[in-house]
């Protein structure tokens, strides 16, 4: 069989790229080594983690917040098996949706591991054997896997990654999480809300170290109230695993101070690495960079003409929407168009409560680049909508150029900011100023009014409600 485009990997990068190529009239095949389509995002990432975040939030609210709203409940109990079953049903429905989209767009789906025989010949191997298909162009979208250094003794039983954590069907008494990044804080929130005692060990001196410092500070305050215990500037020196528990050895950075924590689970969440195993990249000379990512140019083309790579397996943020944009970009480039992605405007979101969302430059980045800026902040506690729902933690911060007033970065911690951030993304796409943002009429009462107020604060301390 011969195709215009063969996509290897069916995550949000691969399947979206395949759909766009098919929409543009190309004959497309997609190869996926697992039995379900959708990759990390649908099977063990974005969707299942958000399903558990939602379920655990309902429980937490019922136990901690309903009474203040005047809702009395009798005993509220967790049925963890049902929580996991619902999560699995959500995954199932979502993956089946991708099967439908492949059929609708007449994309041939091959189950098996794809590997290069030549640059235009791809082998597919599965339990039934091996076949080969021909490809004019290839898009590699094989994603990433968790980083699990040997000293953690990752065994998928007591020392786990997010993949296993999403299937724990009994509330653990104690969990140590290595890494105060996105996965650590999202899954830490799930278990802390369900009653697990959660310790987060973070190597850096703050959580979410790649985001604006104010975001990490604000979120940490909220997560401490939830009961999460943080060891910042600490590192894990080893993990010993038994049948029913594990012991995590922790050391304070630049100090002799050491201690052990016994827990039901040690969740390793220290980042993910690009996944290229089994692709046989060497046989056709595809180059990788120093971090093991497939090296690509501005068009996401590898050093071998006609072979492209997208998503987590290449440089840039490991985010589903970034992978999707890259899938679309490559399909359009192959069709002869000249699309563009502004990587500065890929938003980042952490689905804790309060949520964290950001786009553009952080205050630290502006400082180190020597860009003159002004900053306006507005706290959610001053917002009527936030008081009505009792979600008063967090703030919105707008950073604008000191001279031109162009919005350079927007950082938020607060209720539903995962959705609110889109206003900032859209305005920055059109290179709006903080004054533009402040003059737009925002519906009252909504959480979005905090954005208007922060923009007013940035344009000369003009916030109205503080
Ligand atoms: P992947 O989704 O990893 O898909 C790659 C696919 O390729 C896999 O299905 C794999 O089996 C397949 N494959 C690999 N090698 C081969 C081969 N040789 N042959 C055939 N198939 C192969 N991002 C967000 O934007 N928002 C979130 O809320 C979010 N939450 C997350 C939560 C968790 C717990 C995790 C782990 C990640 C989360 N992410 C989130 C990140 C997101 O999942 C990834 O950025 C995204 O899935 C990357 O997409 P991709 O298409 O590059 O690769
Ligand atoms: P991360 O990069 O977000 O966080 C890893 C954290 O671990 C960092 O804070 C880092 O300083 C710390 N760390 C690294 N080595 C350490 C060590 N030895 N000891 C203690 N701390 C250590 O990585 P992650 O949380 O594993 O997530 C992986 C990827 O998945 C991220 O790039 C993220 O983009 C993506 N993801 C996104 C979402 C989302 O968009 N909401 C959710 C989950 C995952």
């Amino acid at each position: 069989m011969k195709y215009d485009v063969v996509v290897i990997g069916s995550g949000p990068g691969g399947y979206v790229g395949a759909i766009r190529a098919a929409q543009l009239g190309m004959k497309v095949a997609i190869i996926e080594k697992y039995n379900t389509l959708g990759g990390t995002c649908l099977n063990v990432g974005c969707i299942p983690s958000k399903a558990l975040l939602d379920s655990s939030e309902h429980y937490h609210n019922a136990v901690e917040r309903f009474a203040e709203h005047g809702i009395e409940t009798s005993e509220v109990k967790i049925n963890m098996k049902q929580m996991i079953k619902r999560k699995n049903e959500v995954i199932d429905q979502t993956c089946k949706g991708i099967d439908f989209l492949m059929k609708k767009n007449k994309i041939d789906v091959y189950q098996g591991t794809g590997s290069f025989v030549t640059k235009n010949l791809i082998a597919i191997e599965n339990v039934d054997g091996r076949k080969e298909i021909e490809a004019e162009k290839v898009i590699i979208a094989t994603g990433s896997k968790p980083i699990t250094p040997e000293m953690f003794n990752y065994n998928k039983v007591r020392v786990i990654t997010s993949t296993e954590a999403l299937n724990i069907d009994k509330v653990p008494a104690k969990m140590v999480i290595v890494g105060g990044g996105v996965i650590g804080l999202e899954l830490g929130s799930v278990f802390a809300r369900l009653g697990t005692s959660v310790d987060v060990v973070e190597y850096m001196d703050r959580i979410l170290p790649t985001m604006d410092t104010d975001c990490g500070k604000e979120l940490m305050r909220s997560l401490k109230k939830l009961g999460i215990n943080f060891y910042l500037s600490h590192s894990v020196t080893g993990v010993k695993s038994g049948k029913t528990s594990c012991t995590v050895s922790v050391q304070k950075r630049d100090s002799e101070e050491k201690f052990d924590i016994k827990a039901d689970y040690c969740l390793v969440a220290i980042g993910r690495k690009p996944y290229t195993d089994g692709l046989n990249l060497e046989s056709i000379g595809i180059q990788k960079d120093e971090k093991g990512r497939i090296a690509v140019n501005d068009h996401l083309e590898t050093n071998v003409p006609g072979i492209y790579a997208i998503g987590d397996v290449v440089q840039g943020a490991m985010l589903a929407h970034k992978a999707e944009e890259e899938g679309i970009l490559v399909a359009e480039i192959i069709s002869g168009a000249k699309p563009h992605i502004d990587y500065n405007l890929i938003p980042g979101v952490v689905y804790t409560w309060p949520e964290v969302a950001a786009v553009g430059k952080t205050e630290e980045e502006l400082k180190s680049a020597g860009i003159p800026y002004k900053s306006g902040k507005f706290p959610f506690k001053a917002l009527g909508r936030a008081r009505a729902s009792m979600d008063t933690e967090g703030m919105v911060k707008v950073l604008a150029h000191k001279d031109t007033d162009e919005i350079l970065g927007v950082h938020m911690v607060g209720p539903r900011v995962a959705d609110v951030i889109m206003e900032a993304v859209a305005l920055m796409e059109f290179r709006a100023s903080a004054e533009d943002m402040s003059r737009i009429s925002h519906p009252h009462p909504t959480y979005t009014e905090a954005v208007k107020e922060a923009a007013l604060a940035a344009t000369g301390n003009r916030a109205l409600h503080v």
Side-chain angles (χ1 to χ4, degrees), residues 9 13 32-34 39-40 46 50 114 142-143 312 318-321:
E32 171 53 56
K33 72 177 193 176
Y34 287 128
T40 303
C46 325
K50 267 79 256 181
T142 48
D312 281 11
M318 287 185 168
L319 296 173
H321 43 289

Side-chain angles (χ1 to χ4, degrees), residues 8-15 31-34 36-47 49-50 112-115 141-145 162-163 166 182-183 186-187 272 275-279 310-313 317-323 349 351:
I8 309 179
S10 72
Y15 86 75
I31 306 171
E32 171 53 56
K33 72 177 193 176
Y34 287 128
T36 54
L37 301 179
T40 303
C41 174
L42 272 61
N43 291 281
V44 291
C46 325
I47 301 300
S49 58
K50 267 79 256 181
T113 301
S115 64
T142 48
S144 62
K145 289 274 181 248
S162 52
T163 305
L166 293 166
V182 198
I183 292 181
E186 287 187 352
L187 292 181
R272 295 176 63 87
Y275 184 72
T276 55
D277 292 5
L279 279 172
I310 60 171
D312 281 11
V313 81
M318 287 185 168
L319 296 173
H321 43 289
K322 179 259 193 186
V349 171
Y351 295 83

Side-chain angles (χ1 to χ4, degrees), residues 50 152 178-184 186 201-204 209 234-236 269-272 318-319 349-351:
K50 267 79 256 181
F152 291 107
V178 195
V182 198
I183 292 181
E186 287 187 352
V201 181
E202 165 59 50
Y203 185 74
M204 304 296 280
H234 279 72
S235 62
V236 168
I270 59 169
R272 295 176 63 87
M318 287 185 168
L319 296 173
V349 171
V350 188
Y351 295 83

Side-chain angles (χ1 to χ4, degrees), residues 16 70 78 106 121 146 169 202 259 291 299 338 366 375 398 443:
V16 168
I78 299 168
K106 300 189 172 52
L121 193 63
D169 64 0
E202 165 59 50
F259 53 95
K291 291 188 174 158
H299 291 162
K338 292 191 167 42
L366 292 177
S375 165
V398 172

Side-chain angles (χ1 to χ4, degrees), residues 345-414:
L345 296 186
I346 304 264
V349 171
V350 188
Y351 295 83
T352 44
W353 196 266
E355 293 174 332
V356 183
V359 62
K361 302 279 181 247
T362 64
E363 205 161 340
E364 295 75 38
E365 284 168 341
L366 292 177
K367 269 186 198 142
S368 69
I371 298 170
Y373 70 93
K374 50 196 180 173
S375 165
K377 264 197 209 180
F378 188 80
F380 274 100
K381 65 173 183 283
L383 201 69
R385 181 70 189 91
R387 279 200 297 269
S389 67
M390 268 176 34
D391 293 305
T392 50
E393 291 170 12
M395 56 90 210
V396 175
K397 177 162 88 174
V398 172
L399 303 170
H401 195 283
K402 196 162 187 216
D403 307 322
T404 66
D405 199 35
E406 181 176 350
I407 305 164
L408 301 175
V410 179
H411 306 276
M412 310 175 170
V413 179

Side-chain angles (χ1 to χ4, degrees), residues 45-298:
C46 325
I47 301 300
S49 58
K50 267 79 256 181
L52 293 183
L53 276 155
D54 283 335
S55 297
S56 58
E57 196 185 327
H58 288 314
Y59 172 74
H60 178 75
N61 286 341
V63 173
E64 301 290 335
R65 300 178 50 151
F66 275 16
E68 202 169 343
H69 280 280
I71 304 165
E72 289 176 9
T73 52
S74 52
E75 196 192 355
V76 179
K77 285 197 279 187
I78 299 168
N79 179 342
M80 197 69 189
K81 289 199 166 47
Q82 168 58 24
M83 208 178 271
I84 298 294
K85 182 170 166 266
R86 187 195 81 90
K87 182 263 304 176
N88 289 339
E89 284 164 4
V90 173
I91 296 176
D92 192 47
Q93 285 160 11
T94 316
C95 290
K96 284 196 176 122
I98 310 298
D99 292 341
F100 164 79
L101 293 173
M102 295 300 105
K103 279 200 193 89
K104 181 185 164 206
N105 288 284
K106 300 189 172 52
I107 296 163
D108 287 346
V109 176
Y110 291 91
Q111 192 276 318
T113 301
S115 64
F116 287 94
V117 181
T118 69
K119 92 190 234 323
N120 300 107
L121 193 63
I122 310 294
I124 305 157
E125 282 179 86
N126 61 23
V127 284
D128 299 325
R130 175 190 159 104
K131 61 173 84 128
E132 290 178 352
I133 56 175
E134 285 181 71
E136 183 65 30
K137 310 273 187 208
V138 180
I139 305 176
I140 304 170
T142 48
S144 62
K145 289 274 181 248
I147 298 173
T148 51
E150 268 191 19
M151 69 154 170
F152 291 107
N153 291 314
Y154 170 54
N155 58 16
K156 303 190 182 183
V157 184
R158 292 292 146 191
V159 186
I160 58 174
T161 65
S162 52
T163 305
E164 295 77 38
L166 293 166
N167 280 319
I168 293 176
D169 64 0
K170 189 170 165 255
V171 179
K174 177 98 192 165
M175 181 180 277
V176 174
I177 298 181
V178 195
V182 198
I183 292 181
L185 301 180
E186 287 187 352
L187 292 181
S189 297
V190 167
F191 289 101
R193 289 168 189 169
L194 298 177
T196 302
S197 158
V198 174
D199 286 353
V200 172
V201 181
E202 165 59 50
Y203 185 74
M204 304 296 280
D205 60 0
R206 60 195 177 104
I207 59 168
L208 298 176
T210 55
M211 298 188 87
D212 192 279
T213 309
D214 280 347
C215 289
K217 270 192 207 152
E218 288 277 344
L219 182 64
M220 194 158 131
R221 216 174 290 144
S222 299
L223 294 183
K224 275 184 172 171
K225 282 191 209 157
L226 184 64
I228 299 183
N229 181 30
F230 290 94
Y231 294 104
L232 301 182
S233 302
H234 279 72
S235 62
V236 168
T237 52
V239 187
K240 281 203 194 94
S241 192
K243 223 174 174 182
T244 55
S245 67
C246 58
T247 304
V248 184
S249 301
V250 181
Q251 178 160 11
K252 194 169 178 191
R253 256 176 67 186
D254 309 320
S255 149
E256 290 302 302
E257 198 183 313
K258 286 182 195 167
F259 53 95
D260 286 348
I261 312 172
K262 194 168 176 227
D264 301 78
Y265 293 100
C266 173
L267 166 58
V268 182
I270 59 169
R272 295 176 63 87
K273 59 181 179 207
Y275 184 72
T276 55
D277 292 5
L279 279 172
N280 202 17
L281 296 180
E282 311 73 35
S283 69
I284 56 164
I286 292 182
Q287 285 167 4
K288 296 195 221 167
D289 68 14
E290 69 295 344
K291 291 188 174 158
R293 304 173 293 201
I294 296 179
V296 286
N297 64 17
D298 288 350

